[in-house]
Structures are given as structure tokens and as C-alpha cells.
């Protein structure tokens, strides 16, 4: 059964670009440059600044590098403006995660000199982090990428790469994953600071990359997402929340969400079936349903790991979408072994799998060698071995369960290719409508009205601003309540909810963009 991958809402994407274009006019102001240098010098405890470099843009942040007469220099990083007003929440979660990683692992991170909120920000640009600059010769992608690609080309693993070189880089990445998998928590959520000693602990909702994309590029209303204070005590609860958000994306995204009535029905059925599996606790690993939960970063990938001239890791950066997650996330082998995600693979999912499996064998071999090293040094017990769990995840298909749960815009093709028959048996005709028989009658009856609404929205091509005062009056029918016996997930807006969160004091180790 052929599947398709979703696209972001073009109008929402263009609105995000417009927000950045308006904001970036402030970035080149000479007075701002002087204010930035004064702020950095203050928290670097002196030094002679020589130069402030032009701002550089990453995926989520803009940073300035400041060169000093001595040392590696420093940088200051600001989040780019977004429709979803979550910059403060994102910064505190990242700061707490990096504090925890610094205290509990040997993963190299840049040293954070200071961080603060918008009220003390140079130029009022927003919450910020000041860090020591990490000398580097590039990142892991530069080492593994196919030669001859242009800078703007998406990276892809060099098919002719030397096996020894590949295993060396995989080994260093395996070291990071192995250490993160040993970070255990009793609840699922992002880290924060709740006591006077600024000890990181699970304190807020799991702020994932997918949540950011749902709010920014599908326009799922901020008040329809879980409360900031919401954490989860079982994996099954969290999978249910993830399944709900998949359906919310289809419901709220007004543009590029569907191609046709048939496409809409197929996506509706897949999402309702996935919610059914989640509500029946069939997605979670029963042995770890109540924890321990593991530290997980959605954006940990080769492009965010800096290396020196000898290809040794210098620092892992960009920890903003890090949270305690179901153990199955950490037990899944990394998707980035080919540098390109399954949904971005031009030749399709089956070809991605064919190319991925030999690289997975290399990675698992490197991971096993690292585990042996850790055990010999007393840093790992046999019960904490990760390689066997990753192999089992791949062979059982659990890899695709966790991947589909985390990535809304990759969900549809993966559900129909890998999950449908895994959970519901042979579907010889490949007929998605035949699977609708597995849904409650109320959900089947609601489908036609849902499709009609989505087709109308597709024609209108408009956006809704959910921050407007009368926005809630424009909500469509609540799709989550149709045919569901489970209580609706806790929802709330962001306004004022973040005010009670504390910001950590003092220096720590952190990240840059």
C-alpha cells in the first residue's frame, strides 16, 4: 500500500519567514553590537575583545561570535522569533538538560558563562545564552558526507566511505548515546529547576521538536497542547498524547494537509487506528511502561556534534529539544546513520532500509566495542547494554513505532508500510477503507463531515491566529472526543503558565547553535 509524507503548511511557513525578516533588521545595529560585547565581556569576566562577527543563522537560533585577544573567544545565542511563543520555556529546558548532562556524563559540551531572559537581553532580542567558543574543524557530517555535494545540498553518507573511518565516527557517537541511556528518570517531561540548589529534574511537559513544528507549521493552537506543567508517569500515557497530536495536526493544519478526499480518509483512519493502539497500551514496552525513562534529544545528530582536526569530538551542541522519554526511544537504533531521514530518502522507504541495514551492522559493532570498554572500566553494567536492545528494536519493528510516534509529518507512509500489518494483520488488498471497520461507529460516521471540512479549508487557503482574543470561538469540532472513551488530555494556553518556572543561577556547561 503506497503511503505519502505530509508537508508543512506553506502559509504558516511563510508567516514564520516574515517574522524572522522583520526581526533580523535589528541584528545589524551598531549600538546592539556594542551592547552585546559589553554583556559578553561582563560574563566572561574580562578580556580584550577584538572583533564581533556578523550574526549567523541556524535552524532555531542566531548567534554572534566575539573574538578575544586570548582564548577561544565567546558567543551569544538568541532564539529566532516564531509564531509559537515558547522561547522562555525552550531556553530553561535546554539549560536544565545541559546542566544535568554536565553533572552526570562526560559528554563534552561548550561552557556556558551566563543565560537570561528577554528583560536583560541586549537589544531586547529575547532569552539568550553566552558560551565559550569551541574551536572546531567542522562537524561529524563534514567527515561522513558524500564528496562533491554543494553546501546547500542535503547531506548523505558517502557510499564509498572507508569502513574503519566510519566505525571510528560511529564509535564516538555511540559513546554519547550510551551515556544518555544511563540517565534515568521517574517521569516523562522536560527538565527544569524546582529547588533552591538548582538541581535539574523533570518539571514540565516534554517540549519536543514535533510539538514546536505542530504549533508553528500546522497551527495546532497553543491552548490545545498539554499544559506546560504536564508530565507523564507511564509511556502509554505519553504515546496517547503523541497519537492525539497526530490527529490534531490533520484537524488544524489548513493547507497542504491533504491532497484529496481519499487521501484525507486514509490519513484519518491511520491516525484513529494509532490512537486505538495507544489507548490499548499496545505501543509501549510493557517492561518499561512505568520507567525508568531515559534522557532523549530529538535533535541529536551528526550535524550537531563538532569535531577537531583529527576527527575527535570537540563538543555536542543544540540540546533544546531534550527531555525524559520512554525507554524505547533510547532503545531504537539511530535514524541518522545514513545522515538522511527515511522520509527524505528520494528512492523511498524500502530502499532506505536496504541501505540502512549494513550501516546499522557497523554501528552495532562499534557500540558493542564501546560497551565492552565501559564494562571493563566499571562504567556500565551488563543490564545497561544498549546494543542488544537496539538490535531487537530493529528486528521487531519497534523502531518504526517510536519513529512514527515522534514524527507527525513522517507518520502516514510509515504507518501503512510498517505498522498496519504488524498490528492488524494481513491487508491483501491494501485497502485503507477496509481498516475503517476496526474503528468505533461514531468515528466512522464523523469521517465524512471531517473530510468535507478539510476540503473546504484546502480551497480557502487561510490561516487562523490562535493568539487573537476571539480565537477559541473559531475552533473546529473536537476531533479527539469522537468515539473516545478515554478522558480528554489536559489542555491549556501558555499565557501566564510559565511565570512560575525558575531560571537557574551560576555557570554551567551548555550548548550553542
Amino acid at each position: 500500500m503506497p503511503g505519502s509524507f505530509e508537508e508543512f503548511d506553506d502559509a504558516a511557513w511563510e508567516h514564520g519567514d516574515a517574522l524572522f525578516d522583520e526581526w533580523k533588521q535589528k541584528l545589524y545595529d551598531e549600538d546592539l553590537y556594542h551592547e552585546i560585547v559589553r554583556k559578553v565581556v561582563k560574563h566572561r569576566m574580562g578580556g580584550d575583545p577584538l572583533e564581533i562577527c556578523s550574526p549567523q543563522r541556524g535552524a532555531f537560533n542566531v548567534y554572534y561570535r566575539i573574538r578575544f585577544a586570548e582564548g577561544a573567544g565567546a558567543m551569544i545565542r538568541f532564539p529566532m522569533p516564531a509564531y509559537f511563543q515558547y522561547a522562555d520555556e525552550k531556553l530553561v529546558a535546554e539549560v536544565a538538560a545541559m546542566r544535568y548532562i554536565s553533572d552526570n556524563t562526560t559528554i563534552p559540551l561548550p561552557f556556558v558563562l551566563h543565560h537570561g531572559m528577554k528583560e536583560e537581553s541586549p537589544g531586547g532580542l529575547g532569552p539568550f545564552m553566552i558560551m565559550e567558543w569551541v574551536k572546531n574543524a567542522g562537524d561529524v557530517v563534514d567527515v561522513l558526507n558524500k564528496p562533491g555535494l554543494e553546501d546547500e545540498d542535503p547531506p548523505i553518507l558517502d557510499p564509498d566511505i572507508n569502513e574503519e573511518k566510519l566505525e571510528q565516527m560511529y564509535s564516538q557517537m555511540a559513546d554519547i548515546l550510551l551515556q544518555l541511556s544511563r540517565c534515568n528518570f521517574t517521569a516523562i517531561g522536560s527538565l527544569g529547576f524546582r529547588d533552591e540548589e538548582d538541581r535539574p529534574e523533570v518539571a514540565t511537559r516534554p517540549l519536543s521538536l514535533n510539538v514546536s513544528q505542530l504549533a508553528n507549521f500546522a497551527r495546532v493552537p497553543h491552548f490545545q497542547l498539554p499544559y506546560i506543567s504536564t508530565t507523564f508517569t507511564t509511556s502509554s500515557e505519553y504515546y496517547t498524547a503523541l497519537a492525539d497530536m497526530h490527529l490534531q495536526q490533520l484537524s488544524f493544519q489548513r493547507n497542504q494537509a491533504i491532497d484529496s478526499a481519499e487521501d484525507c480518509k486514509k490519513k484519518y483512519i491511520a491516525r484513529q487506528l494509532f490512537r486505538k493502539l495507544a489507548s490499548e497500551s499496545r505501543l509501549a514496552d510493557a517492561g518499561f511502561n512505568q520507567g525508568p525513562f531515559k534522557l532523549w534529544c530529538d535533535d541529536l545528530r551528526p550535524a550537531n556534534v563538532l569535531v577537531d582536526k583529527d576527527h575527535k569530538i570537540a563538543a555536542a551542541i543544540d540540546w533544546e529539544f531534550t527531555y525524559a522519554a520512554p525507554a524505547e526511544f533510547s532503545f531504537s537504533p539511530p535514524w541518522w546513520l545514513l545522515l538522511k531521514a527515511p522520509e527524505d530518502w528520494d528512492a523511498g522507504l524500502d530502499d532506505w532500509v536496504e541501505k540502512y541495514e549494513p550501516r546499522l551492522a557497523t554501528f552495532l559493532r562499534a557500540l558493542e566495542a564501546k560497551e565492552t570498554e565501559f564494562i571493563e572500566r566499571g562504567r556500565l553494567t551488563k543490564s545497561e547494554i544498549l546494543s542488544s536492545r537496539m538490535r531487537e528494536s530493529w528486528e521487531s519493528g519497534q523502531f518504526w513505532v517510536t519513529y512514527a510516534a515522534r514524527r507527525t509529518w513522517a507518520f502516514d507512509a510509515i504507518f501503512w508500510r510498517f505498522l498496519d500489518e504488524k498490528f492488524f494483520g494481513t491487508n491483501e488488498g491494501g485497502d485503507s477503507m477496509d481498516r475503517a471497520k476496526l474503528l468505533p461507529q461514531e468515528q466512522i460516521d464523523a469521517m465524512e463531515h471531517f473530510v468535507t471540512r478539510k476540503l473546504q479549508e484546502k480551497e480557502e487557503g487561510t490561516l487562523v491566529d490562535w493568539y487573537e482574543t476571539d480565537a477559541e470561538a473559531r475552533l473546529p469540532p473536537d476531533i479527539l472526543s469522537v468515539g473516545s472513551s478515554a478522558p480528554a488530555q489536559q489542555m491549556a494556553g501558555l499565557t501566564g503558565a510559565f511565570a512560575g518556572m525558575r531560571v537557574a543561577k551560576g555557570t554551567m556547561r551548555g550548548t550553542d547553535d
Side-chain angles (χ1 to χ4, degrees), residues 104 115 124 208 215 229 238 256 268 286 332 385 417 508:
N104 293 277
H115 67 279
S208 66
S229 60
Y238 186 52
Q256 285 76 47
Y268 175 92
S332 296
I385 285 177
R417 176 62 185 86
M508 51 166 285

Side-chain angles (χ1 to χ4, degrees), residues 37-49 68 70 74 111-114 130 132 507:
V37 171
R38 287 194 297 271
K39 177 72 74 172
V40 171
V41 169
K42 173 184 176 182
H43 293 288
R44 192 175 181 267
M45 306 301 287
D48 298 320
F68 283 76
E70 70 292 326
F111 187 75
V112 171
L113 300 164
H114 182 70
I130 300 174
E132 289 187 348
T507 58

